[in-house]
Amino acid sequence: MLDQLSIFPATHAQAVESRRRSYEEWGKRRQHPFDDYIDESNTMGGYEIAADDRVLAPRNDPATIDFMCSCETLRREVFVLKRTTSSDEFTTEEQVGYGIASVYTPAEKRGKGYAKHMMSLLHWVLGPASSFPSAFPEAWGQPPAVPEGFGSGIVSVLYSDLGPDFYKATGPAPGVDGWTGDPYTVSTWDVKAVLEKTKDEARRDQWTLLNKEQTKEWWNQDSELILQEVSSKPQSSTSTAFTFLPRKGVAEFLQRRIEWFVNSMERPPPYYGALLSSSSPSDGGPSSDAFASWAFELYPGSPKTLLITRLRCPKEELLRSLLGCIAEYAKDFGIERIQVWNLPGELKAAGEGIGGTTLHPEDHLPSVKWYGSGPIAEWLYNEKFAWC
């Protein structure tokens, strides 16, 4: 049966149908309006980074609305670091990477292996066939067609809500690993507690709040800084590492995903970032001082959360004043908590000092499939900005 199916780029009708199918589980329970959720006019497709919808469908009827399951892929720049053979220095090279999102099978089609098969086939669309340890499995029929511009990815990532095992079992051939989980931490602060602990300290005077356009400008600046400092980031035993950058729509994608919820607020928040007031480009280059960007999580039934998507904070004392500033801003909009992914170890004591707690969540597990040579590369700057 599975050899009669393959993965195809979705038609417009299929893309709309995939969102229509998932609305009950992903949209309605969050009180997202139906028309906005299914996005029939494809407004998300007009942004700098847009999703390519894909479906698992019969080979003899690839455009059918009765497809088996679907997913989205997002092409993005990725920078790969490789240790030189003669020293501890790293070379940096720009390559192609992918984010994968919205893997969905309708209830009536579950339990038949469709999603696992679709994800196994997806490797052959994203990565070079030469990177796989075996030929395309004969039991799966013919390999999927590779659209122009695909088939050269060095890495793909996804965020698993099914634990570490499901996607790891969806490799490009039986017995070959698919996406491997990369455990992460989430640090959380209660807004009221932060305000209480920093009430006698200067907060906003040190920081300049940034609107969307200003935040986007600083993502560009921050990306240049990442490229300057990235060679010192890999662990001493690592031979290869990679990082995504917040620019070119990557960090903006998360903001777009929750735009309706923000715009439905009686008074939508105007600021999405904070910059240390002394930070300014000098000599034509970006500053290395502190910067943070954020998005909001405003789903009914869950605490209203400000999610720090990108954090640049070189000193412990700056984290304290930054969180104080953010908390003061957040309280004006009824935000209850602040969260950040993978808070650097050197900042954890400062974070705990103002009531922060750090956990190792099992949901949204960042997971990696490396199409390059050698073992899985180390993922640097694995922060919320890269989420999809």
Side-chain angles (χ1 to χ4, degrees), residues 323-353:
L323 289 174
C325 172
I326 293 175
E328 189 173 320
Y329 169 67
K331 74 175 175 58
D332 292 340
F333 300 93
I335 302 300
E336 301 167 59
R337 65 182 185 180
I338 302 166
Q339 290 188 328
V340 67
W341 279 27
N342 288 330
L343 184 70
E346 62 270 21
L347 298 178
K348 286 183 178 178
E352 291 172 356

Side-chain angles (χ1 to χ4, degrees), residues 141-268:
Q142 292 297 311
V146 179
E148 184 177 355
F150 288 84
S152 60
I154 190 72
V155 66
S156 64
V157 302
L158 55 80
Y159 297 83
S160 174
D161 285 325
L162 300 175
D165 298 330
F166 181 86
Y167 290 106
K168 189 171 185 178
T170 60
V176 180
D177 283 347
W179 289 270
T180 300
D182 188 5
Y184 72 115
T185 62
V186 172
S187 298
T188 302
W189 294 267
D190 178 81
V191 167
K192 291 181 180 179
V194 172
L195 291 173
E196 177 63 27
K197 289 180 179 292
T198 62
K199 64 183 179 181
D200 298 325
E201 304 170 22
R203 292 192 289 256
R204 284 201 178 183
D205 290 347
Q206 283 187 277
W207 300 90
T208 300
L209 296 178
L210 307 176
N211 62 28
K212 282 187 177 180
E213 287 304 311
Q214 292 168 325
T215 301
K216 189 173 181 178
E217 177 184 340
W218 270 93
W219 281 329
N220 293 334
Q221 300 276 9
D222 183 54
S223 296
E224 291 300 320
L225 287 168
I226 289 174
L227 292 177
Q228 290 176 18
E229 67 195 15
V230 73
S231 61
S232 65
K233 289 289 185 181
Q235 298 294 327
S236 59
S237 60
T238 299
S239 60
T240 310
F242 72 92
T243 185
F244 297 108
L245 299 177
R247 68 188 183 188
K248 297 184 179 180
V250 173
E252 188 179 14
F253 180 80
L254 182 58
Q255 290 184 352
R256 298 295 187 185
R257 280 284 195 179
I258 50 87
E259 197 166 41
W260 178 87
F261 297 96
V262 173
N263 290 340
S264 66
M265 296 175 69
E266 183 176 343
R267 188 165 61 96

Side-chain angles (χ1 to χ4, degrees), residues 36-52:
D36 186 79
Y37 181 85
I38 66 169
D39 191 24
E40 193 158 4
S41 60
N42 194 30
T43 57
M44 285 290 286
Y47 295 129
E48 190 169 5
I49 186 167
D52 293 302

